[in-house]
Amino acid sequence: MTLLSVASTLILAGCDRSQHLSFKGIDVGGASYARDFELLNPHGTKHTLSDFKGKAVLIFFGFTQCPDVCPTALSRAAEVKQMLGEDAAHLQVIFVTVDPERDTPEVLQAYTSAFDSSFLGLYSSLEGTAETAKEFKVFYKKVPTGASYTMDHTALSYVFDPEGKLRVVLRHEQTAEDFAADIRQVLLKR
């Protein structure tokens, strides 16, 4: 191998590495799940992932009567938007309810707006919720609590790049700084 071919190989290898992103969350690039959804916003308008092309999308599944995990996730998302500065305009935060029986469109709208007016709450029928959760590999289960119930559910956040591809899954225990760092990397694709 000549010196020129060795140098060319090293340069090309370096170019390939520069395309690889290093996430603080779980890198799921190329995942064969969480490919799309078909859900309604509080006004009854249908949304799919392609509606948000050109933006990074952060999706969290939960329910409005959640005592701690869900409000923490949405508070952190609001903090992340502030940390992103001007790039915040290129992030759409979506909250998908796993409790469509109680999370009526009005309740969902009030809940997400309390954290940030740009956050979008989405819902479906019980069957549609189950289909979406299955596509995203989200666990949820109704748990009786006396005369009412609560919901156990997956506490992960899914981040899609501006092309609509799932790139990273963030754990609930990660910081807003971790979320913002990974979302900034995803936004480099726009």
Side-chain angles (χ1 to χ4, degrees):
M1 198 178 234
T2 68
L3 185 57
L4 181 57
S5 63
V6 170
S8 296
T9 302
L10 290 174
I11 289 170
L12 290 174
C15 289
D16 289 344
R17 271 184 274 236
S18 69
Q19 298 300 318
H20 179 72
L21 301 177
S22 176
F23 294 116
K24 296 181 182 296
I26 304 162
D27 187 338
V28 292
S32 61
Y33 64 95
R35 293 165 296 205
D36 205 357
F37 57 78
E38 189 172 294
L39 300 165
L40 300 172
N41 72 18
H43 305 291
T45 304
K46 187 188 315 178
H47 285 285
T48 64
L49 194 54
S50 65
D51 293 338
F52 307 101
K53 197 144 183 122
K55 290 187 172 193
V57 177
L58 174 69
I59 298 178
F60 183 80
F61 289 76
F63 66 113
T64 64
Q65 293 188 31
C66 181
D68 52 13
V69 172
C70 300
T72 299
L74 291 177
S75 292
R76 179 178 43 235
E79 186 179 349
V80 166
K81 279 195 72 174
Q82 289 181 354
M83 295 170 93
L84 291 174
E86 291 181 14
D87 284 335
H90 303 287
L91 173 66
Q92 178 61 60
V93 175
I94 297 175
F95 177 79
V96 178
T97 183
V98 295
D99 187 15
E101 292 178 276
R102 293 185 295 193
D103 291 345
T104 64
E106 298 78 21
V107 168
L108 201 52
Q109 176 69 43
Y111 186 73
T112 55
S113 293
F115 295 94
D116 187 287
S117 62
S118 72
F119 288 7
L120 187 58
L122 299 179
Y123 71 96
S124 187
S125 63
L126 290 173
E127 297 79 16
T129 300
E131 288 172 21
T132 303
K134 183 178 178 183
E135 172 62 24
F136 278 73
K137 297 185 182 285
V138 167
F139 165 83
Y140 70 100
K141 178 182 172 186
K142 188 185 279 192
V143 179
T145 57
S148 187
Y149 65 91
T150 189
M151 301 293 289
D152 282 349
H153 61 90
T154 299
L156 297 171
S157 295
Y158 300 80
V159 180
F160 293 80
D161 67 24
E163 295 171 7
K165 293 185 177 23
L166 180 61
R167 294 306 308 270
V168 63
V169 174
L170 297 161
R171 295 176 302 279
H172 184 67
E173 59 273 6
Q174 289 184 260
T175 65
E177 290 81 7
D178 288 349
F179 274 58
D182 284 358
I183 290 167
R184 278 190 187 100
Q185 286 195 68
V186 166
L187 283 170
L188 292 174
K189 290 199 59 117
R190 66 182 158 95

